[in-house]
Structures are given as C-alpha cells and as structure tokens.
Amino acid sequence: MDPLEHFSIPGLVYLTLSGEPTLSGLLAVGAGALFPDVDALSKEHRSYLHSLLPFLPTLILGLHLRGLPLLFALGWGSHLFLDFFTGVIPPVYPLSRRGWGLSIVITGPRNFGIELKLIERYPDRKHDYRLEIGGSFALAILTILTAIIRLH
Ligand SMILES: [Zn+2]
C-alpha cells in the first residue's frame, strides 16, 4: 500500500466520523498513518514500526492524553490494519521477525469464488520499487476535496 492510500483512507474516515474535524486533526491522523513507513529507512520494510510492541504503548498513551496524540495513534493503527490485508505485519518485531497477514482473492466471473488465506512470512528486505499510483492519486484528490468541504 502506498503513502497516498495510507494517508487518504484514515483521513476520509476521520473527516466522515468526526463531528468537528480540524486541519490539525487531519494532519495528526495522516502523520500517524505515514509514520510506520519510516521503517523503509531500516534494512527491512515492515519491521520496527509495523510491530505492536511500540504501537500498543503509543495507543495507550493516546487514549490517556486524547486529542491529537490519540488521532496520531489511530492513524498508526490504521496503517497496521491496512498492511495486514496487503502483506504481513510482524506483531512482536524485533523479538520475532515473523509476520502475518490475510490474503483475500476473488475469482470469476466463471467459477466465482472468494479465497481467504492467512499468510505468514518474514518482512521484505529493503529494495527499490516502482509504484503505480493512479488509483491512489484519485483517492488523494477525493480526500483533499472532502477536507475542503468539511474543514472550516
Ligand atoms: Zn507499511
């Protein structure tokens, strides 16, 4: 999942569910949602910041402090949730590098079916990539338009 999707999806949820959304709230959710991919600077993507070990204390602190810290933690949680469905997250990294995710595949139109599979593997080594972001770009534009409408 690319950064535009990671920002836009929780951003749209925040803009939809918050009674009085603010720009600082949207930026806190977005910063939290992008933060785990700082892991890309380490030797493995989806490692330290994709683990529950630093996330859960941050969430507990956010629940205690409320406001922007909580929005940051919820954005971080959205990243882990979304990555669980697009690969694996290693819940106790660095104690164990093993990660889990859920693969959902739809086949059809002939022999229509839905395949659910729990996947288990180790994080990918850092590598160069090429992202096709057309759909993500459209989603980001919708998020910006929604923010313009919802933020006063
Ligand atoms: Zn990630």
Side-chain angles (χ1 to χ4, degrees):
M1 183 159 277
D2 68 60
L4 292 175
E5 292 169 308
H6 272 305
F7 184 92
S8 297
I9 293 171
L12 284 170
V13 170
Y14 169 73
L15 291 168
T16 302
L17 296 181
S18 175
E20 293 183 29
T22 62
L23 180 59
S24 60
L26 178 62
L27 294 176
V29 168
L34 296 174
F35 181 62
D37 278 342
V38 170
D39 274 347
L41 301 175
S42 73
K43 66 181 180 183
E44 293 178 312
H45 182 212
R46 297 188 179 190
S47 53
Y48 299 99
L49 299 176
H50 287 71
S51 167
L52 297 179
L53 295 181
F55 167 68
L56 289 177
T58 304
L59 178 62
I60 290 168
L61 185 63
L63 289 169
H64 177 72
L65 297 174
R66 318 282 305 165
L68 297 179
L70 178 59
L71 290 173
F72 180 88
L74 292 175
W76 186 346
S78 78
H79 187 112
L80 303 183
F81 176 79
L82 293 170
D83 274 1
F84 180 75
F85 291 95
T86 59
V88 299
I89 59 164
V92 293
Y93 194 98
L95 301 177
S96 169
R97 294 176 52 248
R98 184 171 304 177
W100 284 272
L102 186 63
S103 169
I104 304 173
V105 176
I106 297 175
T107 57
R110 289 176 289 141
N111 299 321
F112 176 79
I114 300 174
E115 299 169 20
L116 295 176
K117 188 170 68 176
L118 186 66
I119 51 177
E120 176 184 356
R121 68 169 193 255
Y122 293 100
D124 298 331
R125 292 259 167 222
K126 186 164 75 175
H127 55 83
D128 291 332
Y129 52 84
R130 179 177 178 275
L131 294 174
E132 180 76 35
I133 62 164
S136 306
F137 188 72
L139 185 61
I141 290 172
L142 288 173
T143 304
I144 291 167
L145 291 174
T146 304
I148 290 169
I149 293 168
R150 292 281 290 143
L151 300 177
H152 305 287

